[in-house]
Amino acid sequence: MLSVRDRRDRPPEEGVVAELQGFAVDKAFFTSHKGILLETELDFLRCVSAIIIFLVVSFAAVTSRDGAAIAAFVFGIILVSVFAYDAFKIYRTEMAPGAIQGDQQ
């Protein structure tokens, strides 16, 4: 009968190693055009989702009309403007650079 120690000391089977290789990070993909585009789209999606979340939380907080709630609303609106500016810069520099270059010519 095999003990736990015997199973741990043995090298893994070929099937297990082949299955685990699917979880490795593929650096070649992230440096390719599709990988860069995926990273840009995820960054833009992060900005848009943060804008939506902060707007909802800010308007929910201001309904109590407490002093701290009003301060939270103002802080939330400032954060929304920062994330909106970030989303705008991401869109102009990485998602639509061809449209900007066409306007300048």
Side-chain angles (χ1 to χ4, degrees):
M1 185 152 115
L2 292 173
S3 68
V4 175
R5 181 175 211 169
D6 293 333
R7 281 184 265 157
R8 185 181 58 205
D9 293 335
R10 288 186 305 171
E13 291 84 17
E14 291 297 321
V16 174
V17 173
E19 290 176 12
L20 291 178
Q21 286 179 351
F23 292 107
V25 176
D26 187 13
K27 293 181 183 178
F29 173 74
F30 286 120
T31 57
S32 69
H33 181 67
K34 286 184 180 181
I36 293 170
L37 187 61
L38 175 69
E39 183 181 348
T40 302
E41 289 173 352
L42 289 177
D43 199 27
F44 185 75
L45 182 64
R46 173 193 54 86
C47 289
V48 171
S49 62
I51 289 170
I52 293 169
I53 290 170
F54 277 114
L55 273 177
V56 168
V57 169
S58 295
F59 283 114
V62 81
T63 58
S64 69
R65 304 216 185 262
D66 190 22
I70 294 172
F73 173 75
V74 171
F75 184 68
I77 295 300
I78 291 171
L79 284 177
V80 164
S81 64
V82 168
F83 279 116
Y85 178 73
D86 189 24
F88 173 72
K89 292 299 280 185
I90 290 169
Y91 180 76
R92 290 225 8 186
T93 58
E94 297 185 20
M95 295 180 82
I100 296 170
Q101 292 173 355
D103 292 341
Q104 292 175 354
Q105 294 177 356

